[in-house]
Amino acid sequence: MSEVEAEKKVEEEKVQKGGELLFCGGTCWDSIGRRKGSLEGNLVSPTRMRPLVGVDIRFVASGSTSCHCMALDVEGRCYTWGRNEKGQLGHGDMLQRDRPTVVSELSKYKITRAGAGRSHSVVVTEDGYSLSFGWNKHGQLGSGSIKNEIEPSPVRCLLSDVNNVACGAEFTVWLSSVEGTSILTAGLPQYGQLGHGTDNEYNTKDSSVRLAYEAQPRPKAIASLAGETIVKVACGTNHTVAVDSNGFVYTWGFGGYGRLGHREQKDEWAPRRVEVFQRHNVLPPDAIISAGSVNSACTAAGGQLYMWGKIKNTGDDWMYPKPLMDLSGWNLRCMDSGFMHHFVGADSSCISWGHAQYGELGYGPDGQKSSSVPKKVDILEGMHVISVACGLGHSLVVVDRTNVGDRLDQLDIYDGKASGEGSEEPGKKSPVAKKTVKKGVTKASENSKKRKKSEDLSDSEDEENSSDDESDESEDQVNGQTEQKGQRGGKSSGRGRGKGAKNTATEKKSTGRGRGRPPGEKKSSQPAEGKGKTGKRGRPRKR
């Protein structure tokens, strides 16, 4: 036992000491996950970032729908870079940044943890405070207000004694050391991912069919977990995985593809214990957990990795946790899941697998693009991985500099663009920012625009790539892809989504899904009065 304790101490020291950050994946931030724009400049091998060469990075964060990255150094500084259309980088503007840049407004704090959503970011300070920035349409910043839809500079979250944070696409989960309120959530409740027993669904005033979901802008403790102490949490796009101090695993939120591990696909609006991890198979204190867009994972007894949900683009979904035998016997230290890919740090190797489009698996120019089975990242073989994070089309790996000789010097260094990076962005995006700020004041006059944007968002959640800047790429885009396959092959089409499916049903009505193409064509050739009617809802006019 003393050996294990000694090993843990060494691990903690290494995390405190930090290491070199390496990046692989797409760098065209405004194009990733969308149909428009150039996709040149992908970094297919782990690459050093010029501003962070020699900087001791101890923690990295991104998310399954995030096109931006966060890195924390041992001094507590927070660096961000990537897409910034909603101010999610925290620099007070909407300028895209290719280079890691210190968030100056956080310089008075020592940042210890961070989380990234689709278009928002949240950090935790050493003193137990939490600050957030970016998109706040659904209250995901936890500031208690949704008056400002965009907060490009850090604002305080309404809670204290925070020790960890995780972000889904449009919601945030905090872990607190306060007894009875160890887990709190805020943001979009659409699929029950906030865990409060409701999806806060209501009918909008102007339509009896259109559904909306009441935002939760103030962090609220999950009542059903008041008697438990939650010690670990991970968020997928619209679902949450948590572990309590007894080693029990809870999941809730969107249930499609079995990502909750309950042998069914119904949405869970409150935390539900995963049966597999009870009795003799509870999670040990050093277990790791992760949540991808449509899957979940954790290590249980003996360090065995279990996964469930949509694991591959083809084949059956895993409706309950199953051991991933390819990684049996490995000592897994860290893991993260992105849109449809995974990264693991184990022993003196770095292992990745999944579906990739931008080189995010790091196999190099001569390696394969995707891999359905775990495979070593050869260029990092023999290196000790401290921390990993996966985003939408990219991966971040922090490696220990000791015992690697001059191998780091042989890796490429990415410069990115100079300080005027994203020069095409400012002209394009700044007016959007101004509009959004006005929205808080002239809410009534802009209602119709908001409705249209909301519809655009729900539309894009069923496509793999979206050209609408409101919604980048979400887990439901994978769902959309597979649903089409499911119609041909049967098994995986939108099955049993539970209550969360209501919104999708509404979308289906307006898009004419399931009627085949000829009816769709007929529809478009209907008389002008019919057109005018649907034009009010936004979609036909958008085409």
Side-chain angles (χ1 to χ4, degrees):
M1 194 66 186
S2 58
E3 276 182 34
V4 176
E5 284 170 7
E7 199 176 311
K8 272 188 193 172
K9 197 176 179 186
V10 171
E11 295 290 337
E12 282 168 17
E13 282 171 7
K14 279 181 176 171
V15 169
Q16 288 302 322
K17 189 174 70 171
E20 185 81 13
L21 182 137
L22 306 175
F23 176 96
C24 55
T27 59
C28 294
W29 299 105
D30 53 339
S31 303
I32 292 170
R34 296 173 170 176
R35 290 185 180 136
K36 62 182 182 185
S38 160
L39 290 178
E40 294 171 4
N42 294 339
L43 303 175
V44 296
S45 297
T47 304
R48 302 167 88 187
M49 308 290 281
R50 175 74 70 190
L52 297 181
V53 169
V55 176
D56 290 324
I57 298 297
R58 60 175 291 270
F59 183 81
V60 282
S62 195
S64 59
T65 55
S66 305
C67 279
H68 67 289
C69 311
M70 306 179 76
L72 310 179
D73 69 11
V74 291
E75 303 297 323
R77 287 184 291 253
C78 177
Y79 301 80
T80 60
W81 68 102
R83 192 180 287 175
N84 194 29
E85 293 165 356
K86 307 289 186 190
Q88 59 262 50
L89 299 188
H91 300 297
D93 56 39
M94 311 285 173
L95 302 182
Q96 174 182 305
R97 283 168 174 75
D98 283 1
R99 293 177 172 178
T101 309
V102 173
V103 182
S104 56
E105 288 196 37
L106 293 177
S107 55
K108 57 187 173 187
Y109 303 100
K110 184 169 184 180
I111 307 301
T112 56
R113 302 290 286 186
R118 175 182 284 124
S119 299
H120 76 289
S121 307
V122 187
V123 297
V124 175
T125 72
E126 191 178 44
D127 303 326
Y129 296 116
S130 183
L131 298 102
S132 53
F133 35 93
W135 202 29
N136 192 38
K137 182 175 183 178
H138 306 289
Q140 57 263 53
L141 297 188
S143 60
S145 167
I146 52 172
K147 186 179 176 185
N148 293 337
E149 201 170 284
I150 290 179
E151 296 282 5
S153 298
V155 294
R156 278 284 295 274
C157 306
L158 297 181
L159 70 175
S160 58
D161 299 308
V162 184
N163 51 44
N164 204 352
V165 67
C167 296
E170 274 105 23
F171 70 103
T172 306
V173 180
W174 291 268
L175 295 189
S176 160
S177 55
V178 178
E179 194 176 336
T181 60
S182 64
I183 182 166
L184 306 96
T185 60
L188 179 69
Q190 181 172 357
Y191 300 100
Q193 62 264 48
L194 300 189
H196 300 309
T198 176
D199 61 356
N200 281 359
E201 183 182 275
Y202 66 93
N203 287 59
T204 52
K205 290 176 189 173
D206 58 322
S207 164
S208 58
V209 182
R210 185 74 191 158
L211 298 172
Y213 301 87
E214 188 182 343
Q216 172 68 49
R218 181 178 286 268
K220 181 180 175 183
I222 297 179
S224 62
L225 291 177
E228 313 296 339
T229 302
I230 302 299
V231 293
K232 299 174 193 290
V233 67
C235 295
T237 304
N238 285 314
H239 77 287
T240 309
V241 182
V243 182
D244 69 14
S245 54
N246 298 314
F248 295 128
V249 180
Y250 302 82
T251 60
W252 62 95
F254 193 74
Y257 302 104
R259 76 195 78 182
L260 300 184
H262 301 309
R263 300 175 190 266
E264 57 184 345
Q265 299 195 73
K266 143 175 114 67
D267 295 351
E268 297 290 344
W269 295 353
R272 180 177 168 186
R273 223 179 251 185
V274 179
E275 283 178 22
V276 173
F277 305 111
Q278 296 191 73
R279 294 181 289 277
H280 304 298
N281 196 28
V282 294
L283 269 59
D286 62 346
I288 56 176
I289 65 169
S290 79
S293 61
V294 286
N295 49 54
S296 309
C298 71
T299 53
Q304 175 63 57
L305 179 67
Y306 286 77
M307 295 191 77
W308 58 100
K310 184 171 178 54
I311 308 300
K312 299 176 185 175
N313 268 8
T314 56
D316 292 344
D317 308 322
W318 293 7
M319 301 300 294
Y320 59 92
K322 297 182 187 179
L324 194 70
M325 302 315 292
D326 293 305
L327 289 175
S328 291
W330 286 84
N331 173 30
L332 275 59
R333 281 188 313 279
C334 53
M335 174 180 180
D336 199 24
S337 301
F339 185 54
M340 274 301 283
H341 78 288
H342 316 277
F343 247 87
V344 164
D347 295 323
S348 58
S349 297
C350 190
I351 299 165
S352 66
W353 71 99
H355 176 70
Q357 291 178 281
Y358 308 100
E360 56 263 46
L361 296 183
Y363 294 150
D366 303 322
Q368 58 200 80
K369 203 171 187 181
S370 296
S371 174
S372 58
V373 294
K375 187 174 178 295
K376 286 182 185 178
V377 181
D378 292 334
I379 200 168
L380 299 180
E381 186 56 25
M383 294 190 186
H384 182 99
V385 177
I386 294 171
S387 180
V388 294
C390 296
L392 178 56
H394 62 267
S395 307
L396 305 164
V397 183
V398 181
V399 296
D400 187 5
R401 292 192 189 89
T402 55
N403 306 321
V404 294
D406 60 350
R407 288 181 60 197
L408 283 177
D409 297 332
Q410 295 165 15
L411 299 181
D412 292 336
I413 295 179
Y414 178 66
D415 284 300
K417 292 176 187 166
S419 54
E421 58 270 58
S423 51
E424 73 284 357
E425 292 279 318
K428 196 168 72 177
K429 300 297 168 193
S430 294
V432 176
K434 283 176 188 167
K435 269 187 201 168
T436 335
V437 174
K438 278 184 191 172
K439 239 182 231 180
V441 186
T442 59
K443 219 173 195 174
S445 66
E446 303 247 332
N447 257 351
S448 61
K449 282 186 188 175
K450 271 196 176 178
R451 279 199 306 279
K452 188 169 184 244
K453 277 193 177 181
S454 166
E455 287 173 3
D456 291 348
L457 174 60
S458 59
D459 268 352
S460 66
E461 283 190 346
D462 278 328
E463 296 173 5
E464 175 166 311
N465 300 306
S466 168
S467 58
D468 184 354
D469 72 351
E470 193 72 32
S471 75
D472 306 346
E473 186 166 344
S474 87
E475 53 120 309
D476 287 328
Q477 293 157 359
V478 171
N479 299 356
Q481 233 186 13
T482 314
E483 276 182 67
Q484 289 162 6
K485 285 180 188 168
Q487 285 161 30
R488 293 193 296 272
K491 181 145 188 184
S492 34
S493 63
R495 36 185 207 251
R497 290 198 181 175
K499 184 126 184 182
K502 281 189 181 179
N503 198 32
T504 319
T506 315
E507 289 166 28
K508 285 174 190 170
K509 252 180 206 178
S510 54
T511 55
R513 182 181 173 273
R515 295 183 188 174
R517 272 183 201 159
E521 283 163 21
K522 271 185 199 170
K523 206 169 185 182
S524 63
S525 61
Q526 276 175 357
E529 66 265 23
K531 242 183 198 177
K533 210 170 183 183
T534 53
K536 201 171 181 184
R537 304 187 94 181
R539 279 187 205 109
R541 219 183 318 169
K542 191 178 163 192
R543 288 191 196 114

